[in-house]
Amino acid sequence: MIRALEVLEVGTWSGEPADRVDLDHDDRHRRRVAMTGEAGTEFLLDLPKAMALRAGDALKLEDGRLVEVVAAPEALVEIVAEDMGHLVKIAWHLGNRHLPTQLLGDRLRIRRDHVIEDMVERLGGRIAFVTEPFDPEGGAYGHGAVHGHEHGHHHGHGAGADDGHSPDHGHHHHGPHDHG
């Protein structure tokens, strides 16, 4: 099976791709997996390390052909607020819970989660259900869809505590330059 060994970032390649792969947010974070493009191109994604693929990236096959990465639509919640102050407060609460969040200027997008949807509404946010590609921010430590380094740290937060953190939640220890 032909392999894709390299990712060309969006904006660094041109021309018509040989094929396209439609991937949701989770499927865009890979190292090694067999894939089939929309036109039937079968290949093995075989990268040296796992990385987050972005919509518009191209996977370069061994024979030089390119397969474009397309962000598949997903069931999401779009959040708006009466003003930017309220939206920033909601964004802070989402970030405090380490939730992947897409920032769209005057609105936010997150994955469907009824507990979080209730919290957003209590904070004054208005929600709408949408089906769109999900491309959350990467954050300071590489969470979400960002090329390169992943922080490799995940918290399984439940809804048990008021602040969204479980009682046995460990604390991050960061160096002096991490919060500039």
Side-chain angles (χ1 to χ4, degrees):
M1 175 178 286
I2 194 164
R3 298 179 305 159
L5 301 171
E6 184 180 354
V7 177
L8 304 179
E9 293 185 19
V10 62
T12 65
W13 63 278
S14 61
E16 188 62 29
D19 207 339
R20 290 178 170 81
V21 286
D22 232 18
L23 305 170
D24 69 17
H25 177 256
D26 289 339
D27 286 339
R28 290 194 315 270
H29 187 262
R30 297 290 183 199
R31 184 189 82 76
R32 192 167 198 270
V33 64
M35 294 185 168
T36 303
E38 294 172 0
T41 305
E42 294 181 3
F43 63 97
L44 176 67
L45 179 66
D46 193 8
L47 302 174
K49 63 181 181 177
M51 67 181 295
L53 304 171
R54 304 228 17 164
D57 285 349
L59 307 175
K60 187 174 182 181
L61 303 181
E62 290 173 304
D63 64 7
R65 290 181 294 157
L66 300 178
V67 177
E68 183 178 5
V69 174
V70 177
E74 302 182 49
L76 303 173
V77 174
E78 195 162 272
I79 302 164
V80 296
E82 67 182 66
D83 57 39
M84 193 54 69
H86 284 93
L87 193 64
V88 167
K89 181 177 180 179
I90 292 167
W92 184 88
H93 280 277
L94 297 173
N96 190 47
R97 286 158 179 78
H98 304 272
L99 291 173
T101 304
Q102 186 172 359
L103 307 178
L104 297 164
D106 62 346
R107 61 197 190 287
L108 308 169
R109 282 190 189 144
I110 60 171
R111 287 197 164 128
R112 298 277 324 259
D113 179 324
H114 71 278
V115 172
I116 300 301
E117 293 161 20
D118 289 345
M119 176 198 75
V120 165
E121 289 178 324
R122 283 193 317 273
L123 291 168
R126 293 183 308 279
I127 63 171
F129 301 110
V130 299
T131 302
E132 297 288 339
F134 188 46
D135 194 19
E137 283 297 305
Y141 302 103
H143 295 296
V146 170
H147 288 91
H149 176 71
E150 283 288 324
H151 182 54
H153 188 84
H154 175 73
H155 298 288
H157 296 296
D162 287 342
D163 69 352
H165 291 85
S166 60
D168 61 349
H169 175 71
H171 295 281
H172 292 284
H173 298 284
H174 300 295
H177 301 293
D178 289 341
H179 296 289

